[in-house]
Amino acid sequence: MRITHVISGLTKGGAERVVVELANIAVEKGHEVTVLAAWPVDPAMMQDQLHPGVGIKFIGATRKKAYLNLIPWIFRNRKWIGSNDVLHCHLTYGAVFGTFVFIVLRKIFRYKKPAVVETNHAVGMPIPPFNRWVHSRMLLFRDGVVFMARDAYWNGFMDKHPGLRSALIVNGIRIPKQDRSAEQHQQFRQKMGVKENCRYLVGTVSMLRPERKPWLYISLLQDVMEAMGDDVQFILAGDGVERDALRAQIEEKDLGDRICMPGLVNNPTSVMSNLDIYVSLCAGETAGISMIEAAMCGIPVVGIQLDPAYTPKETDWVWSNADIHAVAKKIISLLQDTGERKQVAHMQQAHVNQYFTTEAMYTSYDAFYKTVS
């Protein structure tokens, strides 16, 4: 099978990680795979993690040129696009690209291939209503759509369009390798400027963008600090447009010596594996890629729930709550009870190693490809 994944830039992010994982395992299974990125970025961010057998193409040298070149690029490369069995679209650029491919190649030129599918990575995220509506219109130009989670809006959308093939496929990653020696841990603490009297590290690796509400972590730490004092510090790793604003807020609250912001990290497990608790965002019952990765490292994971209407289920592998104060209380409880912390970490690690691996994700996508192509 010939498969092409279309995405914006191969930067740090859950969707980008999914593309790399799917591309790599598909090549290992004997398929011909290409990643079509809109514009190039630093290869160390994600591109270097691609299997040598995965092809890589770019549409434009910059974001602006990638959008300007989109339609001409499709016309110039229509024979190559049509030689693919599956065109798998991701994020906004992939959605726009897939829509034009469906209209130009499938409707105008009457190509039988490729099957155009999309993974909706934004389920449960606080997307502006108009943007979400536009995205829903583009999804009508698909042979199939995959949701990595469910929410009321997209459930309603699928009910209105029963003819559009869909599937729920949770994200998966390879079980990471990590060095958790005492020497490595001490080096990490020194690098991060952790105080000698600090007993616990709580942290996250996140894209510091408005829709991910990174300022919540500051409120979270303040609550935890009131109960734990100097025993705890916070690692807020990642980069994005909110970073400078967060730094200013941290300094304003005089928390500069309690929150470390190391910036972009190319190896997230180098941070996660040194934490006592990992915290990130949940969309309903679905946890992000970073939470899966942290759990695979044996670190207990707690979630900030983005959906205030979500009712937790006994089957949830991550405890989450939309009330930031409740999340802080949960973290405090785990820090104060070593036995419970170890029990949660063991349970979560066993769960993700069984259900959220790359192999499990690939098997579901392979079956879905076959139903639409």
Side-chain angles (χ1 to χ4, degrees):
M1 186 179 292
R2 299 187 71 180
I3 306 164
T4 289
H5 292 273
V6 188
I7 197 163
S8 50
L10 285 172
T11 57
K12 291 293 180 184
E16 293 83 357
R17 178 70 179 276
V18 166
V19 168
V20 170
E21 296 282 350
L22 283 174
N24 287 350
I25 193 170
V27 164
E28 293 169 5
K29 299 289 185 180
H31 300 294
E32 184 178 339
V33 184
T34 302
V35 171
L36 179 58
W39 58 86
V41 295
D42 182 357
M45 288 188 180
M46 194 66 69
Q47 184 181 330
D48 285 349
Q49 296 181 32
L50 285 171
H51 187 287
V54 176
I56 181 79
K57 293 176 180 286
F58 300 100
I59 295 174
T62 64
R63 180 187 183 95
K64 181 178 180 180
K65 289 181 179 179
Y67 275 99
L68 292 174
N69 291 345
L70 191 150
I71 296 177
W73 199 96
I74 291 173
F75 273 95
R76 288 197 308 270
N77 294 276
R78 60 184 181 274
K79 289 185 179 180
W80 174 78
I81 296 172
S83 71
N84 284 269
D85 298 294
V86 174
L87 184 75
H88 193 156
C89 308
H90 305 266
L91 302 179
T92 302
Y93 190 90
V96 175
F97 188 93
T99 300
F100 280 107
V101 166
F102 196 95
I103 294 171
V104 175
L105 268 62
R106 297 284 300 282
K107 294 298 185 181
I108 298 176
F109 285 96
R110 299 295 180 180
Y111 279 39
K112 294 183 179 180
K113 297 191 301 182
V116 181
V117 303
E118 179 178 342
T119 296
N120 187 329
H121 297 277
V123 178
M125 297 297 288
I127 306 298
F130 178 75
N131 295 27
R132 189 170 55 179
W133 178 83
V134 170
H135 192 182
S136 72
R137 298 308 93 188
M138 289 193 290
L139 283 185
L140 298 178
F141 298 94
R142 302 288 184 270
D143 295 290
V145 57
V146 172
F147 297 96
M148 37 69 71
R150 297 290 194 195
D151 67 18
Y153 180 88
W154 293 111
N155 288 344
F157 172 81
M158 292 311 303
D159 288 342
K160 294 176 183 176
H161 304 282
L164 177 60
R165 291 188 180 93
S166 68
L168 173 65
I169 302 178
V170 296
N171 292 333
I173 58 173
R174 294 180 188 271
I175 298 175
K177 298 177 182 179
Q178 71 261 201
D179 176 8
R180 300 187 66 182
S181 66
E183 180 182 0
Q184 186 276 337
H185 183 64
Q186 185 59 34
Q187 291 175 351
F188 175 83
R189 286 173 63 96
Q190 292 175 354
K191 182 180 178 180
M192 295 292 154
V194 178
K195 297 180 179 180
E196 290 188 9
N197 63 338
C198 175
R199 297 174 60 191
Y200 307 111
L201 291 178
V202 179
T204 191
V205 180
S206 179
M207 294 178 289
L208 306 182
R209 303 194 306 226
E211 69 272 16
R212 299 190 67 84
K213 303 181 179 180
W215 51 85
L216 291 176
Y217 297 116
I218 300 176
S219 299
L220 179 71
L221 176 64
Q222 287 182 293
D223 276 13
V224 175
M225 281 174 51
E226 286 185 10
M228 305 295 294
D230 292 337
D231 280 348
V232 65
Q233 285 185 231
F234 197 89
I235 309 294
L236 178 53
D239 202 0
V241 296
E242 290 290 321
R243 190 179 182 196
D244 289 343
L246 287 171
R247 278 191 177 281
Q249 189 175 348
I250 289 169
E251 293 303 322
E252 181 182 340
K253 295 179 181 294
D254 197 26
L255 296 173
D257 62 338
R258 308 302 300 276
I259 301 178
C260 176
M261 295 184 67
L264 183 69
V265 290
N266 289 324
N267 180 16
T269 59
S270 66
V271 174
M272 297 169 178
S273 61
N274 286 286
L275 301 175
D276 294 286
I277 292 179
Y278 187 82
V279 59
S280 191
L281 306 178
C282 287
E285 63 186 17
T286 302
I289 284 285
S290 72
M291 301 173 85
I292 296 171
E293 193 166 18
M296 285 181 173
C297 290
I299 305 304
V301 179
V302 173
I304 299 172
Q305 181 58 244
L306 289 174
D307 183 359
Y310 180 71
T311 301
K313 302 180 179 66
E314 290 186 4
T315 54
D316 291 350
W317 71 271
V318 173
W319 182 97
S320 67
N321 199 297
D323 182 351
I324 200 69
H325 303 297
V327 177
K329 287 182 181 179
K330 182 66 175 179
I331 290 174
I332 294 165
S333 172
L334 289 173
L335 290 177
Q336 293 175 337
D337 190 333
T338 303
E340 182 186 6
R341 195 164 70 247
K342 290 182 177 179
Q343 183 179 8
V344 169
H346 178 75
M347 178 275 293
Q348 291 179 335
Q349 187 177 41
H351 185 86
V352 296
N353 285 351
Q354 180 174 359
Y355 296 106
F356 297 127
T357 62
T358 300
E359 185 73 35
M361 178 176 64
Y362 166 79
T363 299
S364 297
Y365 271 107
D366 185 59
F368 188 69
Y369 291 160
K370 290 172 181 175
T371 66
V372 299
S373 60

